[in-house]
Amino acid sequence: AQRVTQPEKLLSVFKGAPVELKCNYSYSGSPELFWYVQYSRQRLQLLLRHISRESIKGFTADLNKGETSFHLKKPFAQEEDSAMYYCALYNFNKFYFGSGTKLNVKP
Amino acid sequence: NAGVTQTPKFRVLKTGQSMTLLCAQDMNHEYMYWYRQDPGMGLRLIHYSVGEGTTAKGEVPDGYNVSRLKKQNFLLGLESAAPSQTSVYFCASSYSGLNQPQHFGDGTRLSIL
């Protein structure tokens, strides 16, 4: 069963434009949601998690339990945001990644 | 500071051969993980370890074995490689728990012919 869905394989925006990377999940209970990011020639790393309720590099994500979504947003995209973004879910010693969205920020 | 180091980076095997992937971390983390990533899919957890001498199954454990004899090392073994195990394998570690920040290695690209 697909537990974490990222519907867009590729998202291209211009510098300065708002960006939203979509993530939907299907899991009962109260899972924890995360966004991981992999920049070019770097390792996969944690960007943010919903329980921290923090903004990292201008990105925020709100957990919407009604819509079972955890979309990643940034009001003004920068070229250095270009990367592969993975949504992930944790519940009861299980951890699931989505298939990822490649964000391309054009100058 | 190396973080998580995976050995080897690339390997080609023939069907039926065996091999071991090595993961080493220098952050004194308790938890370690092995994932595989196939084209168009997210990372899937194979096995994990919550401490030295302990291992547990993840989402896709069949065909793999693991060992954690030392806290800093986590080995992934393929006893009889199959073409379906062609994938990129990632090791990760965290201080405590899957829901804590996981630190990843560079990955091992494994091809089974």
Side-chain angles (χ1 to χ4, degrees):
Chain A
Q2 186 73 16
R3 293 175 175 84
V4 182
T5 303
Q6 294 180 249
E8 303 139 328
K9 290 188 184 300
L10 174 65
L11 183 63
S12 290
V13 301
F14 285 102
K15 176 183 174 181
V19 62
E20 180 179 68
L21 289 85
K22 291 183 169 50
C23 173
N24 291 92
Y25 66 91
S26 56
Y27 212 90
S28 59
S30 299
E32 295 182 42
L33 275 294
F34 308 80
W35 277 98
Y36 276 80
V37 61
Q38 188 170 24
Y39 301 102
S40 178
R41 290 184 291 278
Q42 294 188 29
R43 298 176 179 183
L44 189 62
Q45 59 186 289
L46 178 67
L47 179 63
L48 57 78
R49 46 183 176 163
H50 88 270
I51 61 171
S52 299
R53 293 186 171 276
E54 56 194 347
S55 174
I56 304 293
K57 298 185 179 182
F59 284 98
T60 59
D62 292 320
L63 180 61
N64 186 323
K65 293 185 177 181
E67 296 183 356
T68 59
S69 68
F70 188 57
H71 303 328
L72 184 67
K73 301 176 183 179
K74 185 170 183 176
F76 307 104
Q78 303 299 314
E79 290 182 68
E80 55 265 30
D81 296 328
S82 294
M84 195 74 186
Y85 291 80
Y86 295 93
C87 183
L89 176 153
Y90 167 83
N91 200 13
F92 294 121
N93 277 336
K94 306 291 185 186
F95 202 86
Y96 303 102
F97 279 92
S99 55
T101 298
K102 184 175 183 179
L103 175 65
N104 180 32
V105 181
K106 298 177 283 188
Chain B
N1 190 349
V4 176
T5 303
Q6 293 183 230
T7 309
K9 296 189 184 306
F10 306 95
R11 186 72 185 268
V12 179
L13 290 178
K14 293 182 179 179
T15 298
Q17 287 185 317
S18 63
M19 82 159 295
T20 300
L21 306 184
L22 172 63
C23 177
Q25 54 96 3
D26 60 5
M27 296 171 284
N28 201 34
H29 284 169
E30 291 294 331
Y31 281 61
M32 296 187 74
Y33 317 95
W34 275 107
Y35 291 91
R36 61 177 288 175
Q37 185 176 31
D38 300 307
M41 299 181 69
L43 283 75
R44 291 183 293 169
L45 186 63
I46 305 171
H47 285 281
Y48 64 99
S49 170
V50 303
E52 183 178 318
T54 71
T55 63
K57 294 181 180 179
E59 183 184 1
V60 288
D62 295 341
Y64 304 96
N65 57 75
V66 288
S67 64
R68 184 100 179 266
L69 299 180
K70 293 183 179 180
K71 184 177 183 178
Q72 63 268 34
N73 296 337
F74 194 30
L75 279 63
L76 177 71
L78 286 73
E79 290 185 347
S80 179
S84 60
Q85 294 177 305
T86 294
S87 190
V88 180
Y89 291 85
F90 288 96
C91 178
S93 70
S94 66
Y95 183 69
S96 62
L98 278 159
N99 61 340
Q100 300 303 309
Q102 296 182 41
H103 298 258
F104 285 82
D106 289 325
T108 295
R109 188 173 295 276
L110 184 60
S111 294
I112 316 295
L113 305 179

